[in-house]
Short mmCIF file of all heavy atoms in Angstrom, two decimals:
data_model
loop_
_atom_site.label_atom_id
_atom_site.label_comp_id
_atom_site.label_asym_id
_atom_site.label_seq_id
_atom_site.Cartn_x
_atom_site.Cartn_y
_atom_site.Cartn_z
N LYS A 12 28.41 -33.57 -7.88
CA LYS A 12 28.99 -32.47 -7.11
C LYS A 12 28.92 -31.17 -7.93
O LYS A 12 28.51 -30.12 -7.42
CB LYS A 12 30.45 -32.77 -6.77
CG LYS A 12 31.10 -31.68 -5.92
CD LYS A 12 32.59 -31.86 -5.77
CE LYS A 12 32.97 -33.10 -5.03
NZ LYS A 12 34.43 -33.18 -4.77
N GLY A 15 25.35 -29.96 -8.25
CA GLY A 15 24.93 -29.43 -6.96
C GLY A 15 25.47 -28.02 -6.73
O GLY A 15 24.75 -27.14 -6.26
N CYS A 16 26.72 -27.80 -7.10
CA CYS A 16 27.33 -26.47 -6.97
C CYS A 16 26.64 -25.46 -7.89
O CYS A 16 26.37 -24.32 -7.49
CB CYS A 16 28.83 -26.53 -7.27
SG CYS A 16 29.79 -27.40 -6.02
N VAL A 17 26.37 -25.87 -9.13
CA VAL A 17 25.68 -25.01 -10.08
C VAL A 17 24.30 -24.61 -9.52
O VAL A 17 23.89 -23.45 -9.57
CB VAL A 17 25.55 -25.70 -11.45
CG1 VAL A 17 24.53 -25.02 -12.35
CG2 VAL A 17 26.90 -25.77 -12.14
N VAL A 19 23.32 -24.48 -6.38
CA VAL A 19 23.47 -23.58 -5.24
C VAL A 19 23.76 -22.15 -5.70
O VAL A 19 23.16 -21.19 -5.21
CB VAL A 19 24.56 -24.09 -4.27
CG1 VAL A 19 24.98 -23.02 -3.28
CG2 VAL A 19 24.06 -25.33 -3.54
N VAL A 20 24.66 -22.00 -6.65
CA VAL A 20 25.00 -20.67 -7.17
C VAL A 20 23.77 -20.03 -7.82
O VAL A 20 23.46 -18.86 -7.58
CB VAL A 20 26.20 -20.73 -8.13
CG1 VAL A 20 26.37 -19.41 -8.89
CG2 VAL A 20 27.48 -21.06 -7.37
N ASP A 23 21.15 -19.22 -4.95
CA ASP A 23 21.60 -18.10 -4.12
C ASP A 23 21.45 -16.79 -4.88
O ASP A 23 20.98 -15.78 -4.34
CB ASP A 23 23.07 -18.26 -3.70
CG ASP A 23 23.29 -19.31 -2.63
OD1 ASP A 23 22.31 -19.86 -2.07
OD2 ASP A 23 24.48 -19.61 -2.35
N SER A 52 31.80 -16.15 -2.16
CA SER A 52 31.22 -17.31 -1.47
C SER A 52 32.24 -18.39 -1.20
O SER A 52 32.18 -19.07 -0.18
CB SER A 52 30.06 -17.88 -2.29
OG SER A 52 28.94 -17.05 -2.21
N LYS A 53 33.19 -18.55 -2.13
CA LYS A 53 34.23 -19.57 -1.94
C LYS A 53 35.08 -19.31 -0.71
O LYS A 53 35.72 -20.21 -0.19
CB LYS A 53 35.14 -19.62 -3.18
CG LYS A 53 34.50 -20.22 -4.39
CD LYS A 53 35.48 -20.21 -5.56
CE LYS A 53 34.90 -20.83 -6.79
NZ LYS A 53 35.88 -20.83 -7.90
N THR A 55 33.88 -18.27 2.16
CA THR A 55 33.10 -18.45 3.38
C THR A 55 33.09 -19.91 3.79
O THR A 55 33.24 -20.81 2.96
CB THR A 55 31.64 -17.98 3.19
OG1 THR A 55 30.98 -18.85 2.27
CG2 THR A 55 31.58 -16.55 2.70
N GLU A 56 32.92 -20.14 5.06
CA GLU A 56 32.88 -21.51 5.57
C GLU A 56 31.70 -22.29 5.00
O GLU A 56 31.81 -23.48 4.69
CB GLU A 56 32.80 -21.47 7.10
CG GLU A 56 33.06 -22.81 7.74
CD GLU A 56 33.14 -22.70 9.25
OE1 GLU A 56 33.70 -21.70 9.75
OE2 GLU A 56 32.64 -23.61 9.93
N ASP A 57 30.56 -21.62 4.82
CA ASP A 57 29.36 -22.28 4.33
C ASP A 57 29.45 -22.70 2.86
O ASP A 57 28.74 -23.61 2.43
CB ASP A 57 28.14 -21.37 4.48
CG ASP A 57 27.71 -21.22 5.92
OD1 ASP A 57 28.16 -22.00 6.77
OD2 ASP A 57 26.91 -20.30 6.19
N ARG A 58 30.29 -22.01 2.08
CA ARG A 58 30.34 -22.28 0.63
C ARG A 58 31.75 -22.55 0.10
O ARG A 58 31.96 -22.57 -1.09
CB ARG A 58 29.76 -21.09 -0.14
CG ARG A 58 28.29 -20.79 0.13
CD ARG A 58 27.41 -21.76 -0.60
NE ARG A 58 26.01 -21.38 -0.57
CZ ARG A 58 25.09 -21.92 0.22
NH1 ARG A 58 25.46 -22.85 1.09
NH2 ARG A 58 23.85 -21.53 0.18
N GLU A 59 32.70 -22.80 0.98
CA GLU A 59 34.08 -23.02 0.53
C GLU A 59 34.22 -24.20 -0.41
O GLU A 59 35.11 -24.25 -1.25
CB GLU A 59 35.03 -23.16 1.73
CG GLU A 59 34.79 -24.38 2.57
CD GLU A 59 35.65 -24.40 3.84
OE1 GLU A 59 36.53 -23.54 3.99
OE2 GLU A 59 35.42 -25.29 4.67
N TRP A 60 33.29 -25.16 -0.34
CA TRP A 60 33.32 -26.33 -1.20
C TRP A 60 33.06 -25.99 -2.66
O TRP A 60 33.29 -26.81 -3.55
CB TRP A 60 32.34 -27.39 -0.70
CG TRP A 60 31.05 -26.85 -0.21
CD1 TRP A 60 30.73 -26.55 1.08
CD2 TRP A 60 29.90 -26.52 -0.99
NE1 TRP A 60 29.44 -26.06 1.14
CE2 TRP A 60 28.91 -26.03 -0.11
CE3 TRP A 60 29.61 -26.58 -2.35
CZ2 TRP A 60 27.67 -25.60 -0.54
CZ3 TRP A 60 28.36 -26.17 -2.79
CH2 TRP A 60 27.41 -25.68 -1.88
N LEU A 61 32.60 -24.77 -2.95
CA LEU A 61 32.45 -24.35 -4.35
C LEU A 61 33.79 -24.34 -5.08
O LEU A 61 33.85 -24.46 -6.29
CB LEU A 61 31.79 -22.97 -4.45
CG LEU A 61 30.33 -22.87 -4.06
CD1 LEU A 61 29.89 -21.41 -4.00
CD2 LEU A 61 29.45 -23.67 -5.01
N SER A 62 34.87 -24.22 -4.31
CA SER A 62 36.22 -24.22 -4.89
C SER A 62 36.62 -25.59 -5.43
O SER A 62 37.61 -25.69 -6.16
CB SER A 62 37.25 -23.78 -3.85
OG SER A 62 36.99 -22.48 -3.43
N GLU A 63 35.88 -26.61 -5.11
CA GLU A 63 36.22 -27.97 -5.53
C GLU A 63 35.82 -28.26 -6.97
O GLU A 63 36.16 -29.32 -7.50
CB GLU A 63 35.56 -28.99 -4.59
CG GLU A 63 36.05 -28.89 -3.17
CD GLU A 63 35.30 -29.81 -2.22
OE1 GLU A 63 34.55 -30.70 -2.68
OE2 GLU A 63 35.46 -29.63 -1.00
N VAL A 64 35.10 -27.35 -7.61
CA VAL A 64 34.68 -27.55 -9.00
C VAL A 64 35.18 -26.38 -9.85
O VAL A 64 35.54 -25.32 -9.32
CB VAL A 64 33.15 -27.69 -9.14
CG1 VAL A 64 32.63 -28.87 -8.32
CG2 VAL A 64 32.44 -26.41 -8.74
#
Side-chain angles (χ1 to χ4, degrees):
K12 182 190 296 186
C16 290
V17 165
V19 165
V20 168
D23 286 353
S52 286
K53 288 179 179 182
T55 67
E56 193 173 321
D57 288 346
R58 298 282 191 258
E59 66 187 353
W60 40 265
L61 290 172
S62 297
E63 297 174 13
V64 301

